[in-house]
Amino acid sequence: MSKIAIVVDSSFQIKEEQYKDFFVLPLVVTEVINGKTKDYLDMIDIDSEQVSEKLKEGIEIKTSMVPPGRTMALLDRISPLYDQVFMMCIPSKLSSMFNVVSNLAKDYPNVKVFDQSMVATMSTWMVSEIMKARDEGILTEEWLREYLKKFVKNTALLMVVPDVKFLAKGGRISNGKALLVKMLKLNIMISLDERGLVFYDKAKSIEGVVKKFKTFFGERLGKIDPAHACFLNQKNADEKFNINAIKEALIEAFKFSGFDVEHANIPSAIVAHTGPNYIALAISNKE
């Protein structure tokens, strides 16, 4: 049986100690105060709740990929110890890291880099299955590529962002559209898929949001037959945006049963763009 190491970055929100022969490269979170910058290692020095607090305090937050030197140092250390090293990182539509790591990996014959479109809890579901395949001795490059295709097909995430100032600041929506959204008190909905963060729709009422969520998952997944579901939101969201009320309405509408519904938050690399005031639902259907 081949000895295989798995390498991911901190957008997966998994700790190294969770699995054997598993390595996590931390993304960089940078705060900017009065023109002065301070860097943190994601999930080591700072987590997404702390990023949310800084955003609420008006501190500018930027995130960036793992420095190439750090990636090379890890590969120099582990590639001689394993038959194969499989790497996955934050989706290429959200960061240039995939392209940089792919180029670095060319110098390591036993290192393969895989693009994928998942973050946070969806990534934990994905990695859990990959680790099972490794333990069962069926994990190969071909198996992993096919599994990632199936997982993306069967998994979807939709997020509602009532507070769009951070999306506007990051250029995800125009300032004019952000002003209109605020004036009309609209809830913007964004999906995360192979295209990155993509505008899906808008609604004014909580009932309208629920209806759009039902439509979205019907379009993406067809019949909803979940193996997993997770609600994602920051604990420190501002209640004036009705985050908890929207969450409760979604819980009531989807009525998941037969498994434990998870509750988590999105990684720092995403919350830096959306801000702390959001609620998302991720569903992964059975195959």
Side-chain angles (χ1 to χ4, degrees), residues 77-93:
R77 177 166 63 89
I78 69 172
S79 62
L81 305 178
Y82 295 91
D83 299 308
Q84 292 178 292
V85 177
F86 292 163
M87 298 186 69
M88 297 174 287
C89 50
I90 188 169
S92 60
K93 294 297 183 180

Side-chain angles (χ1 to χ4, degrees), residues 186-251:
L186 297 174
N187 295 292
I188 294 296
M189 281 157 275
I190 298 170
S191 65
L192 175 62
D193 57 28
E194 62 276 5
R195 299 168 296 168
L197 288 170
V198 181
F199 171 77
Y200 174 69
D201 212 330
K202 59 187 180 297
K204 192 164 188 177
S205 66
I206 293 178
E207 294 78 11
V209 168
V210 170
K211 184 176 180 180
K212 297 293 185 182
F213 266 65
K214 297 284 280 190
T215 300
F216 168 81
F217 285 104
E219 292 171 346
R220 284 299 307 269
L221 302 178
K223 180 182 178 182
I224 299 176
D225 183 22
H228 305 281
C230 181
F231 288 96
L232 301 100
N233 64 288
Q234 303 301 123
K235 295 177 183 177
N236 53 9
D238 192 329
E239 255 315 299
K240 73 179 182 181
F241 294 106
N242 297 318
I243 300 300
N244 285 331
I246 294 172
K247 181 177 182 178
E248 291 304 317
L250 290 171
I251 291 173

Side-chain angles (χ1 to χ4, degrees), residues 4 67 105 149 155 189 211 254:
I4 302 174
K149 289 178 184 178
T155 306
M189 281 157 275
K211 184 176 180 180
F254 281 87

Side-chain angles (χ1 to χ4, degrees), residues 32-94:
V32 184
I33 302 176
N34 297 325
K36 296 182 178 180
T37 62
K38 181 177 180 179
D39 290 341
Y40 300 88
L41 296 179
D42 187 34
M43 289 190 66
I44 297 175
D45 304 322
I46 197 168
D47 60 28
S48 67
E49 289 288 352
Q50 292 168 311
V51 169
S52 292
E53 284 294 341
K54 290 179 181 294
L55 290 170
K56 288 178 71 175
E57 293 168 9
I59 297 172
E60 182 180 359
I61 295 291
K62 300 179 180 180
T63 59
S64 54
M65 67 179 186
V66 179
R70 193 180 189 98
T71 302
M72 291 174 65
L74 176 65
L75 294 180
D76 286 344
R77 177 166 63 89
I78 69 172
S79 62
L81 305 178
Y82 295 91
D83 299 308
Q84 292 178 292
V85 177
F86 292 163
M87 298 186 69
M88 297 174 287
C89 50
I90 188 169
S92 60
K93 294 297 183 180
L94 298 178

Side-chain angles (χ1 to χ4, degrees), residues 56-279:
K56 288 178 71 175
E57 293 168 9
I59 297 172
E60 182 180 359
I61 295 291
K62 300 179 180 180
T63 59
S64 54
M65 67 179 186
V66 179
R70 193 180 189 98
T71 302
M72 291 174 65
L74 176 65
L75 294 180
D76 286 344
R77 177 166 63 89
I78 69 172
S79 62
L81 305 178
Y82 295 91
D83 299 308
Q84 292 178 292
V85 177
F86 292 163
M87 298 186 69
M88 297 174 287
C89 50
I90 188 169
S92 60
K93 294 297 183 180
L94 298 178
S95 169
S96 60
M97 184 171 171
F98 170 76
N99 293 327
V100 172
V101 170
S102 295
N103 285 327
L104 292 176
K106 293 176 182 178
D107 293 331
Y108 304 87
N110 62 335
V111 176
K112 302 296 180 184
V113 184
F114 301 81
D115 197 11
Q116 53 86 41
S117 57
M118 302 295 148
V119 296
T121 300
M122 297 183 295
S123 298
T124 66
W125 300 335
M126 183 173 68
V127 169
S128 176
E129 293 302 315
I130 292 169
M131 291 309 194
K132 286 179 185 176
R134 186 183 69 176
D135 293 344
E136 293 169 1
I138 62 173
L139 179 59
T140 63
E141 180 180 352
E142 182 180 359
W143 183 96
L144 184 49
R145 293 195 188 281
E146 287 303 311
Y147 172 73
L148 292 175
K149 289 178 184 178
K150 291 178 183 177
F151 189 82
V152 169
K153 181 180 178 181
N154 291 326
T155 306
L157 177 145
L158 186 64
M159 174 187 305
V160 58
V161 188
D163 177 15
V164 296
K165 67 181 178 183
F166 296 100
L167 292 173
K169 190 173 182 179
R172 297 285 175 177
I173 65 172
S174 68
N175 288 328
K177 183 177 287 187
L179 181 60
L180 184 63
V181 167
K182 185 176 180 180
M183 289 175 57
L184 297 179
K185 297 182 179 179
L186 297 174
N187 295 292
I188 294 296
M189 281 157 275
I190 298 170
S191 65
L192 175 62
D193 57 28
E194 62 276 5
R195 299 168 296 168
L197 288 170
V198 181
F199 171 77
Y200 174 69
D201 212 330
K202 59 187 180 297
K204 192 164 188 177
S205 66
I206 293 178
E207 294 78 11
V209 168
V210 170
K211 184 176 180 180
K212 297 293 185 182
F213 266 65
K214 297 284 280 190
T215 300
F216 168 81
F217 285 104
E219 292 171 346
R220 284 299 307 269
L221 302 178
K223 180 182 178 182
I224 299 176
D225 183 22
H228 305 281
C230 181
F231 288 96
L232 301 100
N233 64 288
Q234 303 301 123
K235 295 177 183 177
N236 53 9
D238 192 329
E239 255 315 299
K240 73 179 182 181
F241 294 106
N242 297 318
I243 300 300
N244 285 331
I246 294 172
K247 181 177 182 178
E248 291 304 317
L250 290 171
I251 291 173
E252 176 62 25
F254 281 87
K255 297 184 186 300
F256 296 116
S257 62
F259 62 94
D260 291 331
V261 177
E262 300 172 48
H263 298 267
N265 50 39
I266 58 174
S268 302
I270 306 297
V271 79
H273 294 284
T274 64
N277 302 308
Y278 71 88
I279 176 70

